[in-house]
Amino acid sequence: MVRRWTERARAVWRWAWRYRYTLADVGYALVFFPPVVTGMVLAFSYGERFGWGPGALPELLDETSRIAAVIVALQIGLVIPGLVALTVLVRRRRPEWLMSASLLLVALFGNVYAAPIALYSYAAWFTHRWRPLLLWSGAHLVALVAVYSFWQPVLIPVYGMMFLAFPLLFGLWVGTRRQLVENLRERAERLEREQHLLAETAIVAERTRIAREMHDVVAHRVSLMVLHAGGLEVSAPDERTAQAAELIRTTGREALSELREILGVLRGGGDTAPTAPQPALGDLERLVDSARAVGVEVEFGVTGTPRELSAQVERTAYRVVQEALTNAARHAPGAAVDIRVDHGRHELTVTVVNGPATVDGVVPVPGSGYGLVGLRERLALVGGTFVAGPLSDGGWWVRAAIPVTPAETPRTVEDNP
C-alpha cells in the first residue's frame, strides 16, 4: 500500500516537473487575477471624483440607471482582468501581449497590478532584447506619471519602485542567472564530450598496440606451429603420426582464423562482433571428438528435453566445456573427463568432472590463470552461477547453471549416450 502511494507520488512529481513552467504560468494567472480586479475597483472609485466613474454615468447619460451602470462596471472589472490572466498564460511565448495589456491598464485605469508580472517575465525570459525592454519600461513609467499626476502624485515614486523597478531588476537577475547556468551546463557537457573523445582516442591507440603485440608474438608462433605440423604431416613415418600432425595443423589454422578476427576488431577500433559463426551446443560433439583425437578419454551425455536457446546461452555453455577440457588436459594429463549437459525447465546445467592425472613426466602447458575467472564473468552476464573446485580423489569438477527464459520452446532431440 505504501509502495503504491509512493509510486503515485513519484509519478505526480515527474509530471509536475515536466510541466513546471506551464503550471507556473497558471499559478501566476491565478495569483495576479485578484489584484488586477482590485485595481479596477480602485480605478472606478477614483474616476468618480473626475466625473467618469459609475456614480457619474447618470449625469452623462440620463437614460441609464445607476444600477445598470454598476453592473456594466462590474462586468468590465471582471472581463478585463480575465483577459489579462489569459495573456499571463502565454507570457513566455507572446510577451508583447502581456506587455500591451499591462500598459493599457496603467494608461486607461491607472491599474499597476499587472505591470510586475509583465516586466518580470520579459526581463527573465528575454534577456537578449534590451531595446524592447527599455521601451516597454519607459512606456509604463510615462503612463504611470501621466495618470497619477491627476489622482495621487505622491504615489508615483512608491508605485514606480514597487510595481516597475523592483520586478524589472529581479527579472533581470533571474534571467542572467538562468543564462549563466545554461552556459555552465553547456560548457560542462562540452568538456565531457571532449573527455569521451580523448578516452576513445586512447582506447583506439591501446587496441592498436595490443593488436600489434598479438600479431608479433602469438600469430607468428602459431603460424610456425601450423607450418611445422604441415611438414610433419607430409613426412610422417606412419599414419597415426600423420593424423596427429593433421589435427595440430587444423587446430592451429582455426586458432589463427579466430585470432585474425580479434585483431581486426582491435585494429578497427569498433565494437562490431566477428561475422564468423559463433560456437553453439551443436558444436560440442566436434569439440569432444577433437579431445578424443589427442588421446583424452571423454564421456559426453545430454539429459532433459533440449530446446531452442539463445545464442548467448549456447555460446556460454560451449565455452564452459571448452575451458574445462583445456584445464583437464593441461593439469591432469591422461585423466578421464565426464561431461553432462542437462536441459532443465528453468536452467541449462553443464557439469564437467575429471579424475586425477595418470600420466607423469608431461611438461604442463603454460596458462594465463584467468580461465575460471573469465567463466565466472560470463555466467554473471547471463545471470547464472558457476562453481569449481577439487575433488577428494585429486580430480576437479566444474558446474555452470545458465538460466533459460520460459519463451524458449522445447524441441525433440535424441539424448546423446
Side-chain angles (χ1 to χ4, degrees), residues 81-226:
L83 295 177
V84 174
L86 292 178
T87 61
V88 174
L89 296 178
V90 294
R91 64 190 181 95
R92 290 177 291 107
R93 297 187 299 272
R94 296 289 184 177
E96 62 276 4
W97 291 4
L98 180 57
M99 277 289 192
S100 300
S102 172
L103 182 60
L104 290 176
L105 284 178
V106 176
L108 298 179
F109 302 100
N111 191 340
V112 296
Y113 294 99
I117 184 63
L119 294 175
Y120 165 79
S121 300
Y122 203 100
W125 290 97
F126 302 93
T127 54
H128 58 286
R129 301 180 183 179
W130 287 96
R131 183 174 299 176
L133 180 61
L134 292 177
L135 293 177
W136 284 113
S137 302
H140 277 74
L141 181 60
V142 171
L144 178 67
V145 173
V147 172
Y148 279 86
S149 296
F150 298 97
W151 289 0
Q152 293 287 342
V154 70
L155 295 178
I156 293 177
V158 178
Y159 281 5
M161 295 298 295
M162 290 179 56
F163 298 104
L164 300 183
F166 286 163
L168 180 63
L169 295 177
F170 184 66
L172 290 175
W173 177 80
V174 172
T176 304
R177 181 179 178 276
R178 180 185 293 110
Q179 190 175 12
L180 178 61
V181 171
E182 291 178 355
N183 292 336
L184 292 177
R185 185 182 294 110
E186 182 180 357
R187 181 180 180 184
E189 293 176 354
R190 184 174 64 253
L191 292 177
E192 186 177 359
R193 288 194 299 268
E194 292 177 356
Q195 290 179 356
H196 284 306
L197 291 176
L198 292 177
E200 290 178 359
T201 303
I203 290 174
V204 172
E206 185 66 14
R207 281 176 169 175
T208 305
R209 186 188 67 81
I210 294 174
R212 184 170 57 250
E213 294 293 333
M214 291 180 66
H215 180 271
D216 293 342
V217 178
V218 182
H220 177 68
R221 294 188 180 275
V222 174
S223 300
L224 291 178
M225 181 186 69
V226 172

